[in-house]
Amino acid sequence: MSSLPLSQVLSLSNAQIAIEAAATLAFALSGLIEAARKRLDAVGVCVVAGLAAFGGGTLRDVLLDRRPFFWVQHAAWLWVLLALCVGAMFFMRTRHFALTERAMQWPDALGLGLFTAGGTQIAIDATMPPIVAVFMGMVTAVCGGVLRDIVCNEIPRAFSDHRPYALCAFAGAWLVVLAHELAMPQWLGLVAAAGCVTLLRALAMLTGWKLPAWRADSE
Amino acid sequence: MSSLPLSQVLSLSNAQIAIEAAATLAFALSGLIEAARKRLDAVGVCVVAGLAAFGGGTLRDVLLDRRPFFWVQHAAWLWVLLALCVGAMFFMRTRHFALTERAMQWPDALGLGLFTAGGTQIAIDATMPPIVAVFMGMVTAVCGGVLRDIVCNEIPRAFSDHRPYALCAFAGAWLVVLAHELAMPQWLGLVAAAGCVTLLRALAMLTGWKLPAWRADSE
Amino acid sequence: MSSLPLSQVLSLSNAQIAIEAAATLAFALSGLIEAARKRLDAVGVCVVAGLAAFGGGTLRDVLLDRRPFFWVQHAAWLWVLLALCVGAMFFMRTRHFALTERAMQWPDALGLGLFTAGGTQIAIDATMPPIVAVFMGMVTAVCGGVLRDIVCNEIPRAFSDHRPYALCAFAGAWLVVLAHELAMPQWLGLVAAAGCVTLLRALAMLTGWKLPAWRADSE
């Protein structure tokens, strides 16, 4: 609202595109490792990697009625994804890469931060109310992984592993909203939010912090 | 088609908004109890409650290309949902609330009736053909629960428990279409449909009526 | 791009409508047999058949922001689907039809070819880049089955059974793009692609050709 059209165009072509690209790569990598652990076939690996990478942003764009999608406007990314998957399949097979749960968490945490910041900003630019913008940031960041887990026939880890994942995104997204309300430079809010989310998530993983479970039917 | 724009605006701001609100609360409650039974964490509880409450209507709006969504236009509802979930977690923990399958069925039946009526009317207002309007009413009413079950990694109960659920919605939705075709007052069709669906569902639960199973591969 | 509006209208009213209709029937039949094998109730049978038949095309139309949907414009198809399901339930029950995995594969292969060709052409008409058009053809052909499997609480067979399914669609979709780039008649590209995909899939089933599995974490 407080930004001129020109500054919007500039910010879109710089900070936001870079964020979207970095986050897409991070999530594709996390999806690829997950699919490999599940022993899916070549097609399944590409689909799960693509769903993790583009699923959250695409769902956000469908909800915001925003076209064209990131991967339609920058169709080269689909080629990058394909090349990444095929390359990884050959590289990982020859090198006996250790596909551990741990290896997946770091690109995942980075993608979580970057997608939250980018998604919230896009929803603010679409003049959504603050709580909806925060929700859209969470959708962007979390739903790629949720769709990945649904396709792999699991309860999405984001809702069931009792570790703060979406909650980190929730906290960080408010930073973007705050920066917008205080009319601070957009890049500042984006960097602060992405960094804060990634840091929170990393801390949560390192300290093993757990969300309280629902204890209604026990004790 | 037979209604003036003014009456549409009036009906939207009265009967339909009230129906959407009551049904949203009923479904949120049903989703919340389900998530608690599944022992999801705090984030999972909020998401499953929100998916049950807003999932069906949002899917209908995506299919009808209708914006803004209910929860974007009335963003306060997201706060209500959050408060409901947080409050329920504290209240239910301290009071040792008995989370039975049964407790979930009554708000569910009410939400089924209210969402069917509201969703069918919205599709009729969007000049959909009768069968599509009926389908949209069913999507609104049933798909919240279907998405809830898919996220919880179950075959949706609506399709597999052999008790009439979507079928009640199917029957009731035709009442809305009928009232529209006969140019009867809109509120009459909405109330009749909502009541009829809820009653049918309640009867089905009380009498234990079952849908015929497919017996092709046995006997 | 190279085609006149008139020829587009003609081709849409002939080749493409016929393809969409035949493929819809083939997939509805495959979904119906799958639902019967899963012993879903009457509602579940109709929903899974409908999801298999219309799910892929509807998802493509949501992604392309294309309205009205096939089943809104031709609402009679919903009646056809309902009649098909009800009729099949009676016919199959009385005749003790053998519901084998095999019976499902042939209409599935035909639908795969027809939907790939039709979906890719629609994306090209919407001026999508080639790789996106190929992807949309795959979504149209594969996602009906994927949604069917997700609702039935299985890992989608298309991603995990190590037999080329989406890969056949991938190969065939490029034929449509090629025909468009070479300015060949549209029907030629559509027929060639549909035939090629169906043939490839049939060959893959008959010869038992398997996709290479990911062997990173073994040996």
Side-chain angles (χ1 to χ4, degrees), chain C residues 61-212:
Chain C
D61 287 352
V62 166
L63 292 176
L64 289 177
D65 209 9
R66 189 169 166 267
R67 297 289 190 294
F69 295 131
F70 179 75
W71 46 270
V72 169
Q73 207 169 3
H74 308 273
W77 273 99
L78 291 176
W79 287 111
V80 171
L81 181 80
L82 262 182
L84 182 76
C85 288
V86 172
M89 286 189 84
F90 279 103
F91 174 79
M92 290 194 172
R93 185 191 287 183
T94 50
R95 295 288 197 95
H96 303 281
F97 196 82
L99 301 165
T100 59
E101 190 84 34
R102 250 165 199 286
M104 219 186 80
Q105 289 181 335
W106 298 107
D108 200 72
L110 188 63
L112 183 74
L114 295 169
F115 268 180
T116 302
T120 310
Q121 186 60 50
I122 283 171
I124 290 174
D125 291 346
T127 68
M128 291 284 133
I131 179 74
V132 175
V134 166
F135 174 71
M136 287 296 177
M138 290 173 69
V139 164
T140 312
V142 176
C143 281
V146 169
L147 289 174
R148 178 196 63 197
D149 291 347
I150 288 179
V151 166
C152 289
N153 201 18
E154 288 187 349
I155 294 188
R157 238 170 306 156
F159 306 153
S160 63
D161 76 346
H162 293 274
R163 288 199 221 111
Y165 186 85
L167 215 59
C168 302
F170 186 76
W174 283 106
L175 284 187
V176 182
V177 171
L178 195 73
H180 176 74
E181 296 291 331
L182 299 179
M184 287 162 62
Q186 206 181 73
W187 64 266
L188 193 64
L190 291 176
V191 168
C196 166
V197 173
T198 306
L199 199 71
L200 273 179
R201 176 67 183 156
L203 274 177
M205 286 192 295
L206 291 174
T207 62
W209 180 43
K210 291 221 169 187
L211 288 182

